[in-house]
Amino acid sequence: MDITFVKIGGSVITDIEKPNSARIDVIDRILSEIARSRSSSRLLIGHGSGSFAHVPAHKYKVNQGLIDGNSMKGAAITQNVAARLHRIILDRCNENGIEALSFAPSSSAVSNKGRIETWNIAPIIEAMNRGFLPVTYGDVVMDSKQGVAIASTEEVFRYLAMHLMPKRIIIGTDVDGVYTSDPKKDPDAKLIEAINESNIAHIIKESARGSTKIDVTGGMKGKVSNLYSIAMETGAECFIVNANVTGNLYKAISGKECKGTKISK
Amino acid sequence: MDITFVKIGGSVITDIEKPNSARIDVIDRILSEIARSRSSSRLLIGHGSGSFAHVPAHKYKVNQGLIDGNSMKGAAITQNVAARLHRIILDRCNENGIEALSFAPSSSAVSNKGRIETWNIAPIIEAMNRGFLPVTYGDVVMDSKQGVAIASTEEVFRYLAMHLMPKRIIIGTDVDGVYTSDPKKDPDAKLIEAINESNIAHIIKESARGSTKIDVTGGMKGKVSNLYSIAMETGAECFIVNANVTGNLYKAISGKECKGTKISK
């Protein structure tokens, strides 16, 4: 059976305005969509950190590594806070009767300047083969060059995709996909339904220039670039969909028609 | 600098009579002893599960693997409950200013009938080299033969000792060490201060017979046998001490005189 990776964005499952607040009702609704679609493919779930780890990660500049006397403390705190949201997800899986197992990148992976280099993924493969739902997340990992680094869920998916060759990668965010400009500011903003070799260069170029024409800002810009790399390297079809819209994740995982942006090679 | 492994027994840090109750005051006191003794050697901490994971582990017979329709659910619940106590320990480390990082065996190791076979310990080595305190624990791991298995803290230490070659392994329990008979029942019970090649055969033989002369019952019997194996294979000196007595762990870690049982080759 095909493998599908599903990311649940941190901005979906936490209240971004309020540190350390998980949206339990949203998590439960998303888990029920995931449970419903498990028969269509073998799933691996990853989730972001939202208002949990992003706060200390930013404060202690964890992505830069061990740079000063507070860096070790910052790494320890950030790893712990990321794990706290992760445990909430696992708690909800158990409460909802989903046989999920946790796989923390920090326990098994080592990166090189934030790019994962070694990771024993044998337990994840064994878990998938036995029918468990593996759940991983963006995490603070040990780094051979800078001491510690942040491995985002996208980076975690990149490494896992190279080894597990998923057919589809679904990225559940709080927007409908990639737009030609910021839909919150520009009434003429249009959803880009497909990104592939025919338009990726244009999109990256426009956003690199800071053009308002194609507003692939911040997180979304990095996502598009990362997902296109994964698509190129593994052949996976990647979909950015709005996980705040009930049913979207179910449809996307099941291969049904769903509003969003498809990124493929 | 020499490496020392320290186990904090589940019966010390939890209330064994009451499911899922951590003894926060004891955890804090033990962490302060560990913090005080960090200058004497490079430490790695492991902890048991006490009244957390032992309850579902027993109920679902997790140590036997995937044996019936409830086994996957049982493995998922047990792994999650073990992680819950683990997060409490990490929370307390952070609260007490200890730069600790979590290493979950379930995220990285695969066992064969409960004996760990593969584990990427590169992140643990990296963490120790950078001065972090690695914290691991007895966990539910994927098993290549029986699906899932329990890797006790002793089994985790056995695997890690083969690769990290610690000089000393300190086992903090709720008793003073190994006795010639049950000290709670027999006023003539004597503490065995040293177990090595001169008496190990006698001790194992007597306890195997179920003799009351040498009462290495239950968990303690397994501990002695496991620790003697580790001592034989790695040359590590193992000490069983009473972690409920304030100062004992500090003394044992620092290599000072401390009541207890020394197990060596």
Side-chain angles (χ1 to χ4, degrees):
Chain A
M1 196 155 49
D2 294 328
I3 291 175
T4 301
F5 291 179
V6 182
K7 180 186 173 181
I8 321 173
S11 59
V12 177
I13 54 175
T14 71
D15 182 345
I16 285 294
E17 305 296 325
K18 209 174 140 196
N20 301 326
S21 56
R23 297 168 67 190
I24 301 294
D25 54 335
V26 174
I27 293 169
D28 283 350
R29 193 255 304 154
I30 285 175
L31 289 178
S32 82
E33 293 190 38
I34 287 169
R36 259 207 303 158
S37 55
R38 279 187 76 188
S39 59
S40 60
S41 63
R42 291 158 73 200
L43 301 183
L44 176 141
I45 308 296
H47 63 82
S49 262
S51 66
F52 282 74
H54 284 188
V55 180
H58 183 75
K59 177 177 174 187
Y60 294 101
K61 301 185 179 70
V62 178
N63 63 327
Q64 294 181 27
L66 301 177
I67 52 171
D68 62 34
N70 283 320
S71 296
M72 286 179 62
K73 179 184 169 188
I77 289 173
T78 306
Q79 195 200 68
N80 194 42
V81 174
R84 197 172 297 156
L85 175 59
H86 183 59
R87 294 326 311 178
I88 292 173
I89 306 289
L90 269 296
D91 282 346
R92 299 318 304 164
C93 286
N94 275 303
E95 285 294 320
N96 287 285
I98 298 172
E99 289 137 353
L101 293 179
S102 151
F103 294 94
S106 52
S107 288
S108 194
V110 175
S111 66
N112 181 329
K113 293 194 169 182
R115 199 171 166 91
I116 294 173
E117 275 193 331
T118 71
W119 187 354
N120 181 23
I121 62 166
I124 296 180
I125 294 171
E126 188 73 38
M128 292 183 89
N129 288 344
R130 300 283 184 171
F132 288 99
L133 180 71
V135 183
T136 186
Y137 58 109
D139 202 356
V140 176
V141 297
M142 295 308 302
D143 189 283
S144 58
K145 285 288 190 309
Q146 60 186 50
V148 297
I150 288 181
S152 67
T153 316
E154 280 77 14
E155 169 58 15
V156 165
F157 275 11
R158 182 196 64 77
Y159 186 92
L160 292 177
M162 300 289 286
H163 294 81
L164 298 175
M165 302 302 277
K167 189 179 178 194
R168 272 195 300 265
I169 299 176
I170 317 293
I171 307 293
T173 65
D174 59 351
V175 291
D176 288 338
V178 185
Y179 277 85
T180 52
S181 58
D182 187 342
K184 285 165 193 159
K185 295 177 188 162
D186 180 0
D188 293 332
K190 282 191 186 65
L191 183 71
I192 304 171
E193 292 189 351
I195 296 176
N196 49 48
E197 59 176 348
S198 73
N199 60 352
I200 182 73
H202 175 68
I203 288 168
I204 295 290
K205 195 174 130 208
E206 288 298 312
S207 65
R209 263 197 218 145
S211 157
T212 52
K213 266 196 187 154
I214 293 175
D215 187 35
V216 197
T217 51
M220 191 57 88
K221 180 181 166 185
K223 271 189 187 59
V224 169
S225 159
N226 285 338
L227 291 174
Y228 187 69
S229 293
I230 296 175
M232 287 290 285
E233 289 181 57
T234 69
E237 294 182 335
C238 305
F239 297 85
I240 298 175
V241 301
N242 192 335
N244 276 332
V245 176
T246 298
N248 266 0
L249 274 182
Y250 168 73
K251 284 191 276 187
I253 298 168
S254 311
K256 299 186 200 308
E257 198 72 32
C258 173
K259 187 177 184 181
T261 299
K262 175 179 174 179
I263 301 173
S264 57
K265 72 173 175 182
Chain B
M1 195 157 48
D2 293 327
I3 291 175
T4 302
F5 291 180
V6 181
K7 180 186 172 182
I8 322 173
S11 59
V12 177
I13 54 175
T14 71
D15 182 344
I16 285 294
E17 305 295 324
K18 209 174 140 194
N20 301 327
S21 57
R23 297 168 67 191
I24 301 294
D25 53 334
V26 174
I27 294 168
D28 283 350
R29 193 255 305 154
I30 285 174
L31 289 178
S32 81
E33 293 191 36
I34 287 169
R36 258 208 303 159
S37 55
R38 280 186 76 188
S39 59
S40 60
S41 63
R42 292 159 71 200
L43 301 183
L44 177 142
I45 307 296
H47 63 82
S49 262
S51 66
F52 282 74
H54 283 187
V55 179
H58 183 75
K59 178 178 174 186
Y60 294 102
K61 301 185 178 71
V62 178
N63 63 325
Q64 294 181 29
L66 301 176
I67 51 171
D68 63 35
N70 283 319
S71 296
M72 285 179 62
K73 179 183 169 190
I77 291 173
T78 307
Q79 194 200 67
N80 194 40
V81 174
R84 197 172 298 156
L85 176 59
H86 183 59
R87 294 326 313 177
I88 293 173
I89 306 289
L90 269 297
D91 282 346
R92 298 319 302 165
C93 286
N94 275 304
E95 285 294 321
N96 287 283
I98 298 172
E99 290 137 351
L101 293 179
S102 152
F103 294 95
S106 51
S107 287
S108 193
V110 175
S111 66
N112 182 328
K113 294 196 169 182
R115 199 172 166 90
I116 294 172
E117 275 192 331
T118 70
W119 188 353
N120 181 23
I121 62 166
I124 297 180
I125 294 171
E126 189 72 37
M128 292 183 90
N129 288 344
R130 298 284 183 171
F132 288 100
L133 180 72
V135 182
T136 185
Y137 59 109
D139 202 354
V140 176
V141 297
M142 295 308 301
D143 189 283
S144 58
K145 286 287 190 308
Q146 62 186 49
V148 295
I150 289 182
S152 66
T153 316
E154 279 77 15
E155 170 57 16
V156 165
F157 275 10
R158 183 196 63 78
Y159 186 91
L160 292 177
M162 300 289 286
H163 295 80
L164 297 175
M165 302 302 279
K167 189 180 179 194
R168 273 196 299 266
I169 298 177
I170 317 293
I171 307 291
T173 66
D174 59 352
V175 290
D176 288 338
V178 185
Y179 276 83
T180 53
S181 59
D182 187 342
K184 286 165 193 159
K185 294 176 190 164
D186 180 358
D188 293 331
K190 282 188 186 67
L191 183 71
I192 304 172
E193 292 190 348
I195 296 176
N196 48 49
E197 60 175 347
S198 73
N199 61 352
I200 182 73
H202 176 68
I203 288 167
I204 296 291
K205 194 173 132 209
E206 288 297 312
S207 65
R209 264 196 217 145
S211 157
T212 53
K213 266 195 187 154
I214 293 175
D215 187 33
V216 196
T217 52
M220 191 56 87
K221 182 181 162 183
K223 272 189 186 61
V224 169
S225 160
N226 284 338
L227 291 174
Y228 187 70
S229 295
I230 296 174
M232 287 290 286
E233 290 181 58
T234 69
E237 293 182 336
C238 306
F239 297 84
I240 298 175
V241 302
N242 192 335
N244 277 332
V245 177
T246 299
N248 266 0
L249 274 182
Y250 168 72
K251 284 191 274 185
I253 297 168
S254 312
K256 300 186 201 306
E257 198 71 33
C258 174
K259 189 178 182 181
T261 298
K262 175 179 173 179
I263 301 173
S264 57
K265 72 175 176 182

